[in-house]
Amino acid sequence: MSYDPNARRDTPLALKLKERIKREGLITVADYMQACLHDPEFGYYVKQPAIGRDGDFITAPEISQIFGELIGLWCAVVWQQMGSPEKVNLIELGPGRGTLMRDALRAASKVPGFVEAISVHLVETSHHLQAVQRETLAACHPSIMWHQNVRHLPTEPAIVIANEFLDTLPLHQSILNSEVWVERGVGLDAHGDLQFQSLPQTATRNERFADAPNGSVFEGQNWRILLHELRKLAREVPLTAIFIDYGHAETALGDTLQAVRRHSAEHPLTSPGEADLTAQVDFSEFAEHVSALDFIVDGPTIQAEFLGRLGIIERASRLMSANPAKAAEIEMAVARLIAPQGMGTRFKVLGVRSAGLPPLPGFSA
Ligand code: SAH
């Protein structure tokens, strides 16, 4: 990485956190991440999160309209697999600028009955992004409701979609020190600047990675609330869900906490509240938790294969023939989504369905 590991900016949130640490002592990495993203005054998603070319980071639906279109068609096929219920909630977690939902609804409107059957529910913590979504989606569907968090979603048949949502959930990290794992936290160095330190009182042993070298980092995301809500949603009704995110298919050691500001990576302690902070999703761990709730999981599979099975190449060539002037641009965008050394393999897709439903489209049998 090309960033300066010693850079620290005194953002308003950095000053607030330093005061808090002086008062209360070290905070965990998960507390730090929570504050950076959601501090009520200075959190990244509370101020003006900037998604897109002119912002801090770019996501698949912002790269190509085909991404949202394929997800929209996926939803319509899944609705048919659920028996075409007369009413179904289409729930998106963390909809960003609303681009994915806009493209999805446009494509899915070609499937008779689907758009009439759905109510759209958007789970978005950021007031600023809620306003952007209202603008993007104003003419797209008559029934759109917003929710500030995943609690209190209606329990009716539902299709849940989430692109780059899991990676924002707070992350705990522990470091191996002489056969003992110690939780990693954020404290202050001799100059009073933020610094990663360990929380000695948290020492535990973990047989799983007993042979790992000293200094190894083990990560675990806090999915408690999300899993609790999924279980509530699924108790009464058929539920299907799709989670797309960058992450690994097998649990592995390593520090994946990452800060991105204006399309550049920087040290996670550099600009609290002014950079997007994410971590790689451990899909095998997530799948295990979801299966324990009596769901069936499909995948994880890599994004390139998932989009390939949904027909990304065919859709791209049709779009290119219809817009010859934009053919090169469309081709480049699609290549980026399925790049073998990039998004195509770094991003994984996990499907979740209630027992009794057939395997979801896009995953190998
Ligand atoms: N899915 C979009 C945006 C991804 S960025 C896209 O692909 O472009 C993460 C999104 O999740 C943002 O909309 C952010 O505001 C939202 N978000 C982050 N944490 C959240 C939380 N705890 N509850 C609800 N939304 C959250």
Side-chain angles (χ1 to χ4, degrees), residues 37-38 45 49 51 57 59-62 92-97 100 123-126 129 133 147-150 162-165 167-169:
L37 297 182
H38 303 292
Y45 284 121
I51 304 172
F57 63 100
T59 57
E62 302 294 334
E92 184 175 0
L93 308 179
R97 304 181 54 79
L100 193 167
V123 179
E124 175 55 67
T125 182
S126 157
L129 285 177
Q133 291 154 18
H147 307 260
Q148 185 111 38
N149 55 52
V150 289
N163 184 57
E164 292 212 45
F165 173 76
D167 66 15
T168 69
L169 299 181

Side-chain angles (χ1 to χ4, degrees), residues 109-185:
S109 67
K110 313 227 157 63
V111 176
F114 176 69
V115 168
E116 293 71 22
I118 59 170
S119 298
V120 178
H121 293 263
L122 301 177
V123 179
E124 175 55 67
T125 182
S126 157
H127 291 292
H128 171 72
L129 285 177
Q130 280 194 14
V132 175
Q133 291 154 18
R134 270 177 225 280
E135 214 176 292
T136 310
L137 295 168
C140 292
H141 199 272
S143 169
I144 306 187
M145 271 156 278
W146 275 265
H147 307 260
Q148 185 111 38
N149 55 52
V150 289
R151 292 175 204 267
H152 314 303
L153 283 169
T155 48
E156 286 158 350
I159 302 171
V160 180
I161 56 181
N163 184 57
E164 292 212 45
F165 173 76
L166 291 179
D167 66 15
T168 69
L169 299 181
L171 176 83
H172 285 274
Q173 291 187 322
S174 1
I175 298 200
L176 188 62
N177 188 355
S178 312
E179 297 179 12
V180 176
W181 292 93
V182 186
E183 174 137 19
R184 198 178 190 203

